[in-house]
Amino acid sequence: MNLLDGLNEPQLAAVTLPPQHALILAGAGSGKTRVLTTRIAWLVSTSQVTPAGVLAVTFTNKAAKEMQSRLAAMLPINMGNVRGMWLGTFHGLCNRMLRAHYRDAGLPQLFQILDSSDQLAAVKRLLKVLNVDDEKYPPRELTYFINAQKEAGLRPAAVEAWDDWTRKKVDLYQVYEAQCQRDGVVDFPELLLRCFELLERNEPLRRHYQQRFRHVLVDEFQDTNQLQYRWLKLLAGADAAMFAVGDDDQSIYGFRGADIGNMRDFEREFKVSNLIRLEQNYRSHGNILDAANAIIKNNPHRLGKNLWTEAGSGEPIRVHESYSDGDEARFIVEEIKALVREGHLRAEIALLYRSNAQSRALEHALFNAGLPYRVYGGLRFFERAEIKHALSYLRLVGNSDDDTSFSRVVNFPTRGIGARTLENLQDAARTAQSSLHAAIPQMSGKAGSSLAAFANLILRLREAAHLPLPELVEHVLDLSGLRDFYRNEKEGQDRLENLNELVNAAANFVSEAGVASEDGELSGDLISFLAHASLEAGEHQAGEGDDALQLMTVHSAKGLEFNVVFISGLEQGLFPHENAISEEKGMEEERRLMYVAVTRARDRLYLSFAQTRMLHGQTRYNMPSSFLDEVPPELLKWLTPRPGQSFNGASSAPTGEFGGGARRSSGAGGFRIGQSVTHPKFGLGVIVSAEGGENVQVNFGSNGMKWLALSMAKLEAV
C-alpha cells in the first residue's frame, strides 16, 4: 500500500512539503498523528533523511509509543531501526542526551530521576534539616516555585527577589540544587534545563546535533512552554526544517506554563511560509462541529480554522436544566440507563466536568444506581505507595547514596528506626557533607545497630545486581520484606498484586527495550528501567476490567474521544470558572477548554446545568453558562424548557418549601424559578425563589442576592 493513499488534500500537502519550516494547524479529529507519522515515513522512504537524522518530540510516552508502532508498520525493515530514532517526550529525549554526555553536563553516570512525589519528599527533608518553618514555606508551594524558575530557565542567581520572603525561597532553591547535585539526582524540570544549558554553552556538541537532526518534528506545539521552545530553537540549525503540528484552539495548559504565543513566535521567527490547516474532521457529526466552531470563534486572537465533516449533521445537541446538582446527576444516570438499553457500551460514554469537586454527586448517583464507573486520571500504577517503596529499594541498588529513596524505606517495613534516629543521622550526614547511607558508621548504640542492619540489607540487595532485571525485582520484593508486610496486612491483596505486576513490568521492559543484562556488572537495565518508571509516572494508564463509564475533568479528556459525551455543570462561575471570568486571557482559555470538551463527542452530546449546586458545603445559586448562549439555537434540543420560556405554569424544580417559607412557583408575575432576567441597576441575574407571586429573590452574581417586588422591580426576561 502506498504511504500516501487515503490522505485528503491538505494532509497530502503537509506530508509532502519540501524541507522548509512549516506550521500545521491540526483541528480536533483531523488526523494529526497520521500526518506526523506519515511525514516521517515519507521522508525516510524517499531517502531525504535516515532514521538517525530525525528528531520527533511528543508530550506523552503513550503518544511516542503509538508513533513508533505506526512507523514500524509503515517502513520496510531495510529502511533502518525505528527504535534508534530520536522519538520521544521532551523529558525522555533530554534524559537520553544527558545520559550520553553526563560528564559535560556535570552529572554522575548513573544519575537518578526524581518524579513529583520524590521531589516533594526531598524538599520536605531539606526544610526539616534546615529547621525551616514549613507553615511559612509550605513544601508543595516551594516545589512549585523551584519548578517555575527552572521552567523559565532561571537558576537561583538569576531569580529576582523583591522581598525577604521571596529571597528566602531563592536561598532554599539554591540549597535544594546543591542537595540534588550531591545526591546525583535530577527532577523533571532539571532534565530540560540541564540539557538546554549543555547545548547552549557547548558549541561543538550543539553543532553536532544540529548537523545530525535535519528534520525536527513537534507534536502538540501549542502545549510547549518557553524553555521547551528555546530548546527546540537550539537544535534546529540553519539547515534543519522544523515541522510543528498544533492547534491553538486546544491550548488549555496555561496553568502548567504552556505558552500559546509560541505558535505565533515560531511563525514569525522562522519566517514560516507553509501554514497548512487540517480542517476536515473524522470524529464528530456536523452539529457537534458547528457548535464547537461557533463557541471558539468568540476568541479574538486565533490563527483561525473551521472544522467540517462529510459524516452529516447527526443528532441535535441535547440540553438539560435541573434544579440541583443531585437532580442533574439523577438525570444523567437515567439517560445512561436508556443509552445502555439501546446498546451503547458504557466505556464509550464519558461524563466530563470542569472541576474535580463536581464528581461527588455524579459518583454518588452512579453508585446508588449500580452503574460501574472509572474516574479517569486517578492514582496511576507507578504512583501507588507499594510501587514507590519497591522502586526506592531498586534505586538504592543502583545508588546507595540516594537520600530520597533511603528516607522513604529506611523504616518501611518497620525496623525500629524512628524519627529521632533519622534526625541524628541527618545531622551526622550534614556535618560530614555525605549521604545518609555513608553517615551510618558514625552512629552508635541501638540506633546504630538498626541502621547498620539496614545498610547490610542494601549491601545484600546490591550483591544481586547481576541478576536479570525481572529476577532482581523478585529478589528485592522478597528480601526487603515488602511482600511479607502486605501479605500480613488486612487489605494487602491488591497491593501484592501490584507488586507482582511490577515484576511483569520489568519483564516487558526488557523484552521491548532489548537491553537484557549480559554480564555481572550493574548494567543499564536497572537504571533504564528506573528512568522509565519515573518518566511513566503520571501518564494516563487506562484500567483493564469491566465495561465502565468514564468520569474525568475536561483537562483529562484532551486527546480522547467517545460516542456519547455529557458535559455537566455548565454554569457561570463553574464553567467558565469564576477565576477566569474577569480576565480576557482567562476567558479565552476557558472557551478553548469548552471547545475541547465539545469535540470529544462522536455521535451524541449532552449539555447540562443546575440552578443550585452544593460546593464546599454551601448551596450555590447559578446562572447558565455564557457558553450556552454562544451555540446557535437551531443546533440545540432542549429536554427542559429554556430559561425564560413559559411552559403552562409547570416548573422543572420539585415542589416544596424554599427559602424563608416561600413555595417554589413558576408563576410569580409571569416569571419562573431559574429564569434569567435583567435589572436596570443590578444587571443580569437569575430568579432563585418567589413569595406569593408578588416578590422574587434574584441572584445578581457580583451584585449579590436581592428580594424585589415585581410591581416595582422593572425586571425583564432575557
Side-chain angles (χ1 to χ4, degrees):
M1 176 179 167
N2 190 305
L3 276 175
L4 307 181
D5 285 350
L7 297 176
N8 63 36
E9 188 174 336
Q11 289 175 335
L12 178 63
V15 167
T16 58
L17 277 172
Q20 298 173 355
H21 303 309
L23 177 59
I24 313 301
L25 285 180
S30 64
K32 71 175 180 61
T33 303
R34 182 184 184 188
V35 166
L36 199 61
T37 50
T38 307
R39 169 71 172 173
I40 296 171
W42 184 74
L43 289 170
V44 174
S45 64
T46 54
S47 302
Q48 297 185 59
V49 69
T50 66
V54 172
L55 177 73
V57 191
T58 69
F59 266 82
T60 67
N61 289 298
K62 180 181 177 182
K65 289 176 182 176
E66 181 182 352
M67 287 180 63
Q68 277 189 338
S69 176
R70 290 193 188 192
L71 283 169
M74 288 178 172
L75 292 172
I77 296 177
N78 62 0
M79 286 293 181
N81 181 14
V82 173
R83 290 189 182 278
M85 188 180 292
W86 282 64
L87 191 162
T89 65
F90 281 99
H91 293 116
L93 293 172
C94 287
N95 172 61
R96 182 172 176 177
M97 198 172 287
L98 292 174
R99 298 284 176 195
H101 308 286
Y102 65 92
R103 288 192 183 92
D104 292 327
L107 290 168
Q109 183 177 8
L110 302 180
F111 69 85
Q112 302 285 352
I113 301 172
L114 298 178
D115 64 20
S116 56
S117 59
D118 284 335
Q119 183 188 17
L120 181 60
V123 169
K124 288 179 178 177
R125 177 165 52 87
L126 172 73
L127 294 177
K128 190 169 185 180
V129 167
L130 297 179
N131 198 28
V132 174
D133 184 355
D134 60 7
E135 291 190 3
K136 186 175 182 181
Y137 298 94
R140 195 172 299 277
E141 288 185 16
L142 180 58
T143 302
Y144 291 156
F145 173 81
I146 291 171
N147 290 349
Q149 307 316 309
K150 290 189 178 187
E151 288 168 359
L154 300 176
R155 292 297 183 188
V159 180
E160 293 187 7
W162 300 101
D163 51 44
D164 292 341
W165 183 65
T166 307
R167 169 51 54 194
K168 180 65 174 179
K169 289 197 293 185
V170 173
D171 292 342
L172 292 171
Y173 173 20
Q174 189 165 14
V175 177
Y176 168 79
E177 275 205 327
Q179 173 181 287
C180 289
Q181 187 68 27
R182 190 195 70 227
D183 292 352
V185 298
V186 297
D187 52 44
F188 271 82
E190 182 70 21
L191 281 171
L192 186 61
L193 179 55
R194 184 75 65 117
C195 189
F196 171 79
E197 291 172 338
L198 171 65
L199 291 170
E200 187 178 45
R201 70 170 180 268
N202 192 323
E203 185 179 355
L205 189 65
R206 183 172 70 252
R207 282 204 309 269
H208 163 76
Y209 282 110
Q210 287 177 341
Q211 292 168 4
R212 173 175 182 166
F213 299 132
R214 295 305 176 96
H215 288 271
V216 179
L217 301 97
V218 191
D219 193 13
E220 304 286 9
F221 193 76
Q222 77 280 352
D223 292 336
T224 55
N225 61 32
Q226 275 294 311
L227 185 58
Q228 289 165 341
Y229 180 44
R230 290 168 65 191
W231 182 81
L232 288 167
K233 288 196 289 186
L234 279 181
L235 286 168
D239 298 325
M242 194 187 303
F243 187 88
V245 182
D247 184 0
D248 56 331
D249 291 335
Q250 294 189 77
S251 179
I252 60 174
Y253 297 120
F255 65 97
R256 293 183 187 169
D259 189 344
I260 192 173
N262 286 346
M263 297 187 77
R264 289 195 177 278
D265 289 345
F266 169 63
E267 186 181 13
R268 184 185 70 256
E269 293 172 0
F270 283 77
K271 297 179 173 59
V272 174
S273 58
N274 296 310
L275 194 155
I276 296 176
R277 291 172 170 84
L278 304 183
E279 298 175 300
Q280 184 174 358
N281 178 282
Y282 294 93
R283 173 190 301 160
S284 308
H285 281 96
N287 284 338
I288 293 170
L289 298 180
D290 289 347
N293 290 330
I295 291 168
I296 201 63
K297 76 176 183 182
N298 292 288
N299 273 1
H301 308 296
R302 301 171 61 224
L303 292 169
K305 65 185 174 311
N306 202 62
L307 297 179
W308 62 276
T309 181
E310 294 180 341
S313 297
E315 302 177 13
I317 297 168
R318 292 160 169 82
V319 186
H320 187 273
E321 177 186 16
S322 300
Y323 170 66
S324 68
D325 50 352
D327 291 337
E328 179 188 45
R330 285 186 285 275
F331 156 73
I332 291 173
V333 163
E334 292 306 315
E335 202 68 18
I336 288 170
K337 288 179 179 178
L339 289 166
V340 172
R341 287 193 297 269
E342 292 172 12
H344 290 269
L345 292 175
R346 286 187 288 264
E348 284 297 338
I349 302 174
L351 280 61
L352 308 185
Y353 36 83
R354 174 65 179 83
S355 168
N356 274 310
Q358 292 171 247
S359 73
R360 183 201 59 80
L362 293 170
E363 291 188 59
H364 184 67
L366 293 170
F367 177 80
N368 288 343
L371 287 171
Y373 66 90
R374 183 177 299 113
V375 179
Y376 187 88
L379 204 59
R380 291 86 163 161
F381 179 78
F382 286 112
E383 292 180 328
R384 294 170 188 165
E386 62 276 15
I387 300 300
K388 299 286 286 184
H389 289 135
L391 291 175
S392 290
Y393 277 109
L394 287 167
R395 288 192 175 101
L396 290 173
V397 172
N399 176 15
S400 59
D401 292 326
D402 181 346
D403 283 358
T404 300
S405 296
F406 183 101
S407 299
R408 173 179 281 276
V409 297
V410 65
N411 198 42
F412 192 91
T414 305
R415 49 180 59 92
I417 299 173
R420 178 59 61 85
T421 297
L422 278 178
E423 288 177 6
N424 293 336
L425 180 63
Q426 288 166 350
D427 290 339
R430 187 167 62 254
T431 300
Q433 294 188 332
S434 71
S435 68
L436 297 175
H437 179 267
I440 286 177
Q442 300 179 48
M443 304 295 290
S444 59
K446 183 179 179 181
S449 299
S450 298
L451 288 168
F454 181 67
N456 185 57
L457 169 62
I458 299 304
L459 178 62
R460 291 165 63 197
L461 294 176
R462 288 174 63 84
E463 289 172 348
H466 64 280
L467 293 172
L469 183 59
E471 294 181 28
L472 174 60
V473 175
E474 285 271 14
H475 181 72
V476 167
L477 295 179
D478 287 332
L479 195 60
S480 66
L482 286 175
R483 275 202 169 119
D484 286 339
F485 176 83
Y486 289 118
R487 197 173 284 123
N488 296 322
E489 197 179 44
K490 183 178 180 182
E491 297 180 357
Q493 186 58 40
D494 288 343
R495 298 184 186 274
L496 281 172
E497 291 174 2
N498 287 335
L499 292 177
N500 292 335
E501 187 59 31
L502 184 63
V503 180
N504 296 338
N508 291 339
F509 177 79
V510 171
S511 173
E512 293 175 5
V515 292
S517 297
E518 296 179 356
D519 53 44
E521 297 181 4
L522 182 62
S523 72
D525 286 31
L526 177 58
I527 303 305
S528 299
F529 178 64
L530 292 172
H532 161 78
S534 294
L535 293 169
E536 282 279 319
E539 286 287 310
H540 297 313
Q541 302 185 25
E544 300 293 334
D546 295 339
D547 176 30
L549 301 162
Q550 307 292 311
L551 274 67
M552 66 196 75
T553 63
V554 180
H555 281 101
S556 296
K558 186 171 179 290
L560 304 177
E561 55 187 78
F562 304 91
N563 289 342
V564 181
V565 169
F566 291 82
I567 306 176
S568 63
L570 279 171
E571 296 133 34
Q572 202 70 359
L574 191 57
F575 195 5
H577 196 275
E578 59 188 354
N579 293 342
I581 289 176
S582 60
E583 296 181 351
E584 182 183 11
K585 284 187 177 180
M587 273 301 293
E588 287 182 12
E589 180 144 333
E590 288 292 300
R591 191 171 283 110
R592 292 193 293 268
L593 198 57
M594 182 64 180
Y595 176 84
V596 167
V598 169
T599 54
R600 297 313 93 195
R602 297 191 191 102
D603 304 321
R604 186 179 291 190
L605 176 63
Y606 291 84
L607 308 178
S608 71
F609 62 98
Q611 297 173 17
T612 65
R613 184 173 299 275
M614 288 293 292
L615 282 179
H616 311 299
Q618 295 183 335
T619 299
R620 176 167 165 171
Y621 301 93
N622 305 302
M623 291 183 285
S625 170
S626 56
F627 295 147
L628 290 168
D629 297 329
E630 296 178 357
V631 181
E634 63 270 19
L635 302 178
L636 304 177
K637 176 183 179 180
W638 284 80
L639 304 181
T640 51
R642 291 191 293 276
Q645 177 183 355
S646 299
F647 55 107
N648 300 323
S651 173
S652 62
T655 59
E657 295 297 319
F658 185 88
R663 305 284 296 183
R664 276 194 297 267
S665 167
S666 64
F671 294 100
R672 70 177 188 88
I673 305 300
Q675 182 172 357
S676 294
V677 294
T678 60
H679 185 274
K681 179 178 179 181
F682 304 122
L684 184 65
V686 61
I687 297 174
V688 299
S689 67
E691 268 188 356
E694 298 177 357
N695 303 305
V696 290
Q697 187 181 31
V698 184
N699 179 10
F700 287 105
S702 59
N703 285 323
M705 302 282 287
K706 309 290 183 184
W707 276 102
L708 302 172
L710 286 171
S711 60
M712 302 174 62
K714 297 183 180 179
L715 286 177
E716 293 184 7
V718 175

